[in-house]
C-alpha cells in the first residue's frame, strides 16, 4: 500500500496518513512511503487539494483511535527532517508498536527507538551547526536601493532550512537577509520569511570588506595554548571549513602553534572570554545596580565568561504553572534552549505520567548560564554558588512578573532557595508539599538530573513518583487561592 506525502518534511501529511493507516489496521510492512518533489515551476503553485482523495479505498474495518505519548510526537517533528529515505517507515513502525506494544515506551534500548533518537540527535546537531557556522556577506539590495542584502551559503546534511529559518528571523530581525542551500532557499524582508528552490555556491557573493575585518579579529583572539587540531576537526568537519572565511587561515595558525607559539599562549588566560563590548562591573559592585536589558548582555556574575550562551526560559507568555530548575546543562548550553538534554527527556516522561503537556508549562532555571568544570574532554555540571543564584534572581523576577504563574514547581534545592529567596531553605523539609509564598503556591520536587544520577533502581522509582505526585498537586492547587497573610 502506498502512502504519498506532499514534501520531504510533510509532517502534517504523515500524521494524517499514519492515523488513517493505523485506524484501518494496516501493518508497517505493507506500507510504502513516497514524497513528492517540489520543482521550481511548482514552488509557488497552489497546494494540491484533497490529498485524501488520492488514497486508495480501504475496506478494512476501522479500529479505535490510538493515544501515544506526547514525547513521540515531538520526536516525529525532528526525525522527519532527517535525510534518510526510510524515516517515515521507521516512525510509522514505532507508532504501530507503541499501540500494540505498550511496554515499548519504557524500553530505553529498543533498536527502533534508539535509531529514531540517534536520527533526531543528528538533525539537532545539523541545526546547531547551521546557526554556528553560517556567515553572511553583503550585496546591494535591488529591491531597496541604497540598502544592503546579507546573503549566506550553507550546505546542511538534513532538511532543516524551514525549521531553522525562524531562529534567524528572530536573531537578525533588523536586517534583510537570504540563506542559500542546495535544496532550499529562504529570504527575510524584515516582516516575513519567503522560501524558494535551492541554489548553488556560485549564487552566493564573494568575500567583502567586512570579512577582512572579521579575519583580523579572528587572528587577534586565536589562542595557540588551546589548539587541539583533532578536536577541532571533529567539531567542525571539513565540509564547513570550506565555506567559513577563517577556514583559509586556520591551517597556518595551527602550524605556527605547533612550531612554538603554544608556549607563549600558555601564559595567557585560558577558557575565558575576552574583549567584551559590555563593561564588566568591579568585583565589589552590587548586582542590584547592574540592570542589563537583555539576557545575553548580562554580566551580573562571572558565569557568562565560561558559558556558550545564556539560556532563557521557554513556554507560553502566560502559564498557570512554572517549573524552575537549577541551571542549563551541557546540551542546553550548546542549543540555547531549556531542558533539551537527558534531564529534559526524563521530565517529558514525568509530564506524561502526571497527565500534563509540556507546551502548557513555562520552563526556566534559577541560573541562566551553565557552570561547569573540565573532566577530560567533558564538561561536568558544577553547582552554582549562592551569590550566583542571587545575582540571577533579577531574571527570575522578570519572568514571574511576565508569566504570572499561579503555581511554581521548584526542581531541587537550588531552585527552591531561589524561588523563596532563602539561602537556608532545605529540600527535605518541603519535598512534595505546598508552600504559600508571595501570593503563589510553591511545590518542591526532585530535579530530574537527580534521578539520572541515583544508582539504586528503587530510589529512582521513588524519586520519579515524587515528581509525578508533585506535578499532580500543582494541578490541584490551580483551583485553590493561597490565603492572605494575617496581620
Amino acid at each position: 500500500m502506498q502512502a504519498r506525502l506532499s514534501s520531504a518534511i510533510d509532517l502534517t501529511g504523515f500524521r494524517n496518513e499514519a492515523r488513517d493507516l493505523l485506524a484501518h489496521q494496516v501493518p508497517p510492512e505493507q506500507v510504502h512511503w513516497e514524497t513528492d518533489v517540489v520543482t521550481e515551476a511548482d514552488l509557488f503553485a497552489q497546494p494540491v487539494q484533497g490529498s485524501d482523495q488520492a488514497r486508495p479505498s480501504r475496506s478494512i474495518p476501522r479500529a479505535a483511535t490510538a493515544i501515544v505519548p506526547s514525547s513521540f510526537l515531538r520526536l516525529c517533528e525532528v526525525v522527519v527532517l532527517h535525510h534518510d529515505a526510510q524515516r517515515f517507515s521507521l516512525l510509522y513502525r514505532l507508532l504501530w508498536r507503541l499501540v500494540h506494544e505498550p511496554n515499548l515506551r519504557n524500553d530505553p534500548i529498543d533498536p527502533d527507538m534508539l535509531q529514531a533518537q540517534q536520527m533526531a540527535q543528528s538533525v539537532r546537531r545539523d541545526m546547531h551547526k547551521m546557526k554556528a557556522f553560517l556567515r553572511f556577506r553583503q550585496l546591494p539590495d535591488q529591491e531597496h536601493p541604497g540598502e544592503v542584502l546579507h546573503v549566506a551559503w550553507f550546505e546542511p546534511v538534513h532538511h532543516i532550512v524551514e525549521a531553522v529559518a525562524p531562529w534567524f528571523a528572530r536573531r537578525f530581525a533588523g536586517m534583510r537577509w537570504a540563506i542559500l542551500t542546495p535544496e532550499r532557499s529562504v529570504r527575510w524582508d524584515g516582516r516575513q520569511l519567503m522560501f524558494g528552490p535551492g541554489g548553488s555556491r556560485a549564487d552566493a557573493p564573494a568575500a567583502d570588506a567586512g570579512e577582512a575585518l572579521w579575519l583580523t579579529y579572528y587572528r587577534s583572539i586565536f589562542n595557540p595554548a588551546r589548539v587541539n587540531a583533532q578536536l577541532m576537526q571533529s567539531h567542525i568537519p571539513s565540509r564547513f571549513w570550506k565555506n567559513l572565511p577563517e577556514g583559509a587561515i586556520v591551517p597556518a595558525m595551527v602550524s605556527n602553534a605547533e612550531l612554538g607559539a603554544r608556549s607563549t599562549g600558555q601564559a595567557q588566560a585560558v577558557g575565558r572570554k575576552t574583549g567584551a563590548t559590555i563593561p564588566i562591573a568591579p568585583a565589589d559592585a552590587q548586582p542590584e545596580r547592574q540592570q542589563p536589558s537583555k539576557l545575553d548582555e548580562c554580566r551580573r556574575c562571572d558565569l557568562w565568561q565560561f558559558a556558550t550562551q545564556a539560556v532563557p526560559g521557554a513556554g507560553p507568555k502566560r502559564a498557570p504553572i512554572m517549573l524552575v530548575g537549577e541551571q542549563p546543562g551541557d546540551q542546553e548550553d550548546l542549543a540555547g534552549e531549556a531542558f533539551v538534554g537527558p534531564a529534559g527527556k526524563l521530565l517529558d516522561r514525568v509530564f506524561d505520567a502526571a497527565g500534563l503537556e509540556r507546551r502548557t508549562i513555562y520552563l526556566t532555571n534559577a541560573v541562566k548560564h551553565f557552570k561547569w568544570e573540565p573532566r577530560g574532554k567533558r564538561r561536568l555540571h558544577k553547582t552554582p554558588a549562592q551569590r550566583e543564584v542571587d545575582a540571577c534572581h533579577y531574571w527570575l523576577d522578570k519572568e514571574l512578573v511576565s508569566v504570572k504563574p499561579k503555581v511554581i514547581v521548584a526542581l531541587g534545592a537550588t531552585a527552591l532557595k531561589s524561588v523563596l529567596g532563602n539561602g537556608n531553605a532545605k529540600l527535605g523539609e518541603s519535598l512534595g508539599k505546598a508552600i504559600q509564598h508571595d501570593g503563589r503556591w510553591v511545590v518542591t520536587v526532585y530535579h530530574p538530573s537527580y534521578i539520572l544520577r541515583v544508582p539504586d533502581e528503587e530510589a529512582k522509582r521513588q524519586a520519579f513518583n515524587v515528581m509525578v505526585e508533585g506535578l499532580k498537586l500543582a494541578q490541584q492547587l490551580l483551583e485553590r487561592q493561597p490565603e492572605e497573610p494575617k496581620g
Side-chain angles (χ1 to χ4, degrees):
M1 184 171 292
Q2 187 179 73
R4 182 173 293 277
L5 305 177
S6 63
S7 72
I9 58 172
D10 184 12
L11 176 62
T12 301
F14 169 74
R15 292 182 64 175
N16 291 338
E17 286 284 352
R19 187 183 298 113
D20 193 39
L21 290 165
L22 189 64
H24 287 88
Q25 304 178 56
V26 182
E29 59 271 16
Q30 295 183 12
V31 183
H32 177 66
W33 295 87
E34 289 190 359
T35 58
D36 291 336
V37 178
V38 181
T39 62
E40 184 172 354
D42 297 330
L43 183 64
F44 299 105
Q46 292 296 320
V48 178
Q49 300 294 327
S51 59
D52 290 341
Q53 299 174 3
R55 294 183 187 146
S57 174
R58 293 166 184 159
S59 59
I60 306 173
R62 295 180 65 88
T65 302
I67 299 176
V68 297
S70 58
S71 56
F72 176 72
L73 300 179
R74 291 191 294 273
L75 180 67
C76 290
E77 292 175 355
V78 182
V79 174
V80 295
L81 306 179
H82 200 277
H83 74 276
D84 192 326
Q86 299 303 314
R87 61 193 180 279
F88 293 108
S89 297
L90 172 64
L91 290 176
Y92 182 60
R93 185 164 66 249
L94 276 171
L95 175 62
W96 176 272
R97 293 183 59 202
L98 282 168
V99 173
H100 294 85
E101 304 173 30
N103 290 332
L104 175 62
R105 67 184 66 188
N106 300 319
D107 186 355
I109 59 173
D110 177 78
D112 283 344
M113 191 61 73
L114 281 176
Q115 182 183 358
Q117 295 287 359
Q118 290 168 357
M119 292 170 70
Q121 182 63 24
S122 178
V123 171
R124 294 190 186 98
R125 188 180 302 114
D126 202 30
M127 295 172 72
H128 169 67
K129 292 188 182 300
M130 183 171 180
K131 296 174 185 177
F133 303 143
L134 185 142
R135 300 289 187 268
F136 286 106
R137 291 170 173 171
Q138 296 183 4
L139 283 178
D141 192 338
Q142 298 179 356
E143 296 183 7
H144 301 84
E147 299 186 18
V148 297
L149 176 68
H150 298 78
V151 182
W153 169 256
F154 191 76
E155 299 175 24
V157 175
H158 305 296
H159 309 291
I160 62 172
V161 173
E162 294 186 24
V164 180
W167 182 89
F168 281 97
R170 294 190 299 269
R171 179 68 177 82
F172 303 104
M175 72 183 197
R176 296 183 178 87
W177 53 261
I179 299 174
L180 309 178
T181 78
E183 182 182 77
R184 295 285 275 163
S185 65
V186 56
R187 178 166 178 169
W188 171 255
D189 65 358
R191 294 171 301 186
Q192 62 179 344
L193 290 166
M194 296 165 285
F195 295 92
S200 66
R201 181 68 180 82
D203 297 326
D208 53 22
E211 190 165 300
L213 181 62
W214 159 249
L215 292 179
T216 300
Y217 170 73
Y218 190 86
R219 288 189 183 94
S220 70
I221 65 171
F222 183 79
N223 188 347
R226 302 191 68 189
V227 172
N228 185 327
Q230 184 177 0
L231 187 62
M232 184 183 297
Q233 292 170 0
S234 68
H235 282 289
I236 312 180
S238 58
R239 64 187 181 87
F240 293 118
W241 280 118
K242 65 181 181 181
N243 294 321
L244 291 174
E246 57 268 32
I249 63 174
V250 164
M253 292 194 297
V254 171
S255 297
N256 289 337
E258 294 174 347
L259 292 174
R262 185 187 304 274
S263 59
T264 302
Q266 293 287 1
Q268 301 175 358
V270 176
R272 295 168 62 94
K273 297 176 184 176
T274 59
T277 57
I278 299 174
I280 305 173
D284 59 350
Q286 295 297 320
E288 294 77 17
R289 298 177 184 175
Q290 305 169 46
Q291 297 184 353
S293 59
K294 297 180 180 178
L295 181 58
D296 58 5
E297 296 176 353
C298 185
R299 304 295 185 263
R300 293 171 60 84
C301 72
D302 292 337
L303 293 185
W304 69 273
Q305 299 180 81
F306 305 93
T308 304
Q309 58 194 317
V311 180
K317 292 182 178 180
R318 294 283 191 276
I321 299 177
M322 174 187 285
L323 262 66
V324 180
E326 180 186 272
Q327 66 169 351
D330 180 74
Q331 293 189 29
E332 288 81 3
D333 172 74
L334 295 175
E337 300 177 22
F339 292 97
V340 295
K345 291 180 174 61
L346 192 145
L347 191 57
D348 288 335
R349 290 175 50 199
V350 175
F351 286 150
D352 288 338
L356 283 170
E357 293 190 27
R358 179 174 177 141
R359 62 183 178 84
T360 65
I361 299 173
Y362 190 88
L363 303 176
T364 190
N365 285 291
V367 175
K368 310 304 184 188
H369 286 100
F370 178 38
K371 184 175 182 178
W372 56 277
E373 58 185 359
R375 192 70 56 84
K377 294 183 178 180
R378 299 173 59 197
R379 300 190 303 170
L380 294 187
H381 159 275
K382 188 175 182 180
T383 302
Q386 187 60 43
R387 65 180 181 278
E388 293 157 347
V389 175
D390 293 341
C392 216
H393 201 277
Y394 170 84
W395 298 107
L396 182 60
D397 279 341
K398 282 181 171 291
E399 290 173 308
L400 291 172
V401 171
S402 175
V403 179
K404 294 180 170 58
K406 296 181 180 179
V407 182
I408 300 174
V409 179
L411 305 179
T414 301
L416 177 64
K417 293 175 182 178
S418 178
V419 170
L420 299 183
N422 179 4
N424 296 318
K426 303 296 183 182
L427 177 65
E429 296 175 357
S430 59
L431 197 61
K433 300 177 182 178
I435 302 172
Q436 300 180 45
H437 179 72
D438 283 350
R440 300 184 180 91
W441 290 106
V442 177
V443 177
T444 309
V445 298
Y446 291 110
H447 194 285
S449 61
Y450 167 77
I451 301 177
L452 296 175
R453 293 194 305 267
V454 173
D456 182 69
E457 290 301 321
E458 179 60 21
K460 284 181 181 289
R461 185 186 64 80
Q462 293 178 1
F464 185 88
N465 290 338
V466 168
M467 292 193 68
V468 172
E469 293 304 317
L471 289 181
K472 289 181 177 179
L473 175 59
Q475 296 177 79
Q476 298 169 8
L477 292 172
L478 294 178
E479 307 300 325
R480 296 166 50 189
Q481 293 295 329
E483 298 178 0
E484 293 293 334
K486 296 179 180 180

